[in-house]
Amino acid sequence: MRIIPKTENYETVSVSTATERREEDEKWFKRSEKPVYTYDLDEDNAKVVCITDGLTFLGRAIVKRLLLHGYTVRVIVNVPDDLEILRVMRDETATFHGRIEAVTAKLTETESLVDAFDGCNGVFHTSGFIDPSGVSGYSKYMAELEAKVSENVMNACTMTQSVRRCLMTSSLLACLWQNATQLELPAVIDHTSWSNESLCKDKKLWYALGKLKAEKIAWKIAENKGFKLSTICAALVTSTNILHHNPTPTIAYLKGAEEMYGHGVLATVDINTLAKAHLRVYEEMNKAAFGRYVCFDKVITQEYEAEELSKETAINLQKIRGDKYYYCYRDSTTPFSLSNRRLSSLMSTTSPISCLD
């Protein structure tokens, strides 16, 4: 593991010249392994966290919110190009209260993750995967890899003395792909719901399958080891120019969109809402809160909403809402309804986060 020295001043680094920053970061990346800092497990590392992928669109949003609230955030990097992204993030957050640390680790190696997590109080497991050879960049192989990495991260968390909790980013797709013929309808999809693994395989919904298997293995380890875990089952992430920022997850999520739209469960969540939810759930885990949380702020049920989503994502409208004639004349009732009442209740209570935001 290689980590930015704690003696480096975050603000000083962020205002240095581009050449100095580049040389400085290259030294950080090439530096030989050093011992991890010693923390008081109850106090010194209370606001020190590691994020398994802080360089994705969602990861960057979470990192920025953590920095805003004074956290020290370790971001896992693997190649020098990652440092360029961190460099930009440091500049963008120079006035924030927190600091960024770069740390190298391999998600496929548990021991490597243990080194990266050592000294952190918590872990945000946000990593996702892309397979250029797979359909929409996400294949059946990637689903298996996602589950394996989830297993590695959870095992590393339970093996690292300083780590007290883990917050995992899952997907609403891990909840909603169910066989309607086996349910009492209308069925409510909420934090207690789980997708049907066989159904995901039959429909070749590899992104849904990957999120489902990854979350299930995480919960199995947490329950067996008595480790505190929470998961956020997020809807399709949206923002301005979302396809430019988040192409693979967006396209992969929308596989099966026609059926989701028809069943009334095609939902979206704004990137900032989702990042805020991550921080709130994580901080509430200090108390009694833990478990699964469904996160969405809009359900696409109307034709004009489907058209807006089509424009936002640059996805063909027919792939979102299916045959126009059928959906114009479909029954107004749908077999499923979505509920995020658990997260809404948590987010609605007064907290320092909501006050600062």
Side-chain angles (χ1 to χ4, degrees):
M1 178 188 66
R2 302 178 181 88
I3 190 168
I4 296 175
K6 195 170 183 179
T7 55
E8 293 286 2
N9 182 276
Y10 173 80
E11 287 75 18
T12 300
V13 171
S14 66
V15 298
S16 60
T17 67
T19 300
E20 290 171 339
R21 291 198 305 270
R22 186 173 295 106
E23 292 175 349
E24 203 165 43
D25 282 343
E26 287 172 353
K27 289 178 182 177
W28 290 338
F29 193 80
K30 296 176 181 177
R31 186 170 290 135
S32 59
E33 184 173 348
K34 289 190 174 184
V36 177
Y37 313 120
T38 302
Y39 290 95
D40 180 287
L41 297 182
D42 296 320
E43 296 181 6
D44 292 347
N45 74 333
K47 300 194 80 170
V48 180
V49 298
C50 185
I51 183 166
T52 56
D53 194 345
L55 306 179
T56 60
F57 185 50
L58 174 60
R60 293 195 300 272
I62 294 173
V63 168
K64 289 179 180 179
R65 190 157 292 274
L66 288 166
L67 293 173
L68 180 64
H69 289 270
Y71 281 80
T72 294
V73 185
R74 283 187 196 167
V75 179
I76 292 179
V77 298
N78 289 295
V79 295
D81 287 348
D82 291 345
L83 291 172
E84 184 62 38
I85 301 176
L86 283 184
R87 205 175 286 120
V88 173
M89 290 174 65
R90 283 204 310 274
D91 290 343
E92 293 175 343
T93 59
T95 60
F96 290 12
H97 304 297
R99 53 177 286 158
I100 297 177
E101 295 179 347
V103 60
T104 58
K106 293 183 178 180
L107 298 178
T108 54
E109 297 178 4
T110 302
E111 295 77 10
S112 176
L113 290 169
V114 170
D115 286 342
F117 297 166
D118 193 16
C120 294
N121 183 272
V123 171
F124 286 75
H125 180 37
T126 60
S127 60
F129 302 92
I130 298 174
D131 180 6
S133 64
V135 177
S136 299
Y138 200 98
S139 64
K140 184 178 180 181
Y141 166 73
M142 301 313 293
E144 298 300 327
L145 179 59
E146 185 132 15
K148 180 59 180 176
V149 167
S150 176
E151 181 179 11
N152 292 344
V153 169
M154 287 302 299
N155 281 331
C157 284
T158 62
M159 293 165 61
T160 307
Q161 185 181 8
S162 63
V163 175
R164 298 287 190 260
R165 49 195 158 148
C166 176
L167 177 57
M168 176 181 176
T169 308
S170 184
S171 173
L172 183 56
L173 298 180
C175 306
L176 59 80
W177 284 105
Q178 302 185 39
N179 192 332
T181 61
Q182 299 175 358
L183 300 172
E184 183 178 345
L185 303 178
V188 176
I189 303 296
D190 61 11
H191 60 278
T192 66
S193 306
W194 289 93
S195 289
N196 184 292
E197 189 170 324
S198 296
L199 185 65
C200 291
K201 290 179 180 178
D202 292 343
K203 293 180 177 292
K204 294 181 170 55
L205 300 167
W206 306 130
Y207 189 72
L209 180 65
K211 297 300 181 184
L212 174 64
K213 295 184 71 171
E215 190 181 354
K216 280 193 169 183
I217 190 66
W219 278 113
K220 181 178 180 180
I221 294 173
E223 290 166 1
N224 288 342
K225 300 291 182 66
F227 183 78
K228 185 174 284 189
L229 170 70
S230 284
T231 59
I232 293 183
C233 301
L236 174 66
V237 179
T238 58
S239 78
T240 305
N241 298 322
I242 183 64
L243 198 63
H244 171 72
H245 296 299
N246 206 41
T248 298
T250 299
I251 296 172
Y253 189 105
L254 287 173
K255 185 176 182 181
E258 177 181 339
E259 191 170 344
M260 287 189 279
Y261 177 76
H263 288 167
V265 293
L266 179 56
T268 63
V269 60
D270 179 76
I271 183 69
N272 294 313
T273 300
L274 183 54
K276 183 177 179 180
H278 275 75
L279 179 58
R280 188 61 197 278
V281 171
Y282 178 79
E283 295 205 331
E284 288 299 315
M285 288 174 71
N286 247 341
K287 305 171 186 176
F290 67 96
R292 302 178 85 211
Y293 295 86
V294 169
C295 186
F296 66 90
D297 53 21
K298 183 178 182 180
V299 181
I300 309 299
T301 59
Q302 302 297 319
E303 177 80 7
Y304 77 91
E305 293 173 327
E307 291 174 353
E308 290 176 352
L309 182 61
S310 174
K311 292 177 182 177
E312 287 180 16
T313 60
I315 301 295
N316 185 282
L317 178 60
Q318 189 160 343
K319 291 184 178 180
I320 293 177
R321 60 98 167 96
D323 183 79
K324 184 176 181 180
Y325 177 85
Y326 172 76
Y327 283 110
C328 281
Y329 293 93
R330 69 178 182 177
D331 191 327
S332 59
T333 61
T334 56
F336 299 101
S337 63
L338 293 176
S339 172
N340 60 355
R341 66 186 186 278
R342 191 171 191 228
L343 181 61
S344 294
S345 176
L346 185 66
M347 298 293 288
S348 64
T349 57
T350 303
S351 75
I353 296 175
S354 59
C355 292
L356 181 57
D357 293 332

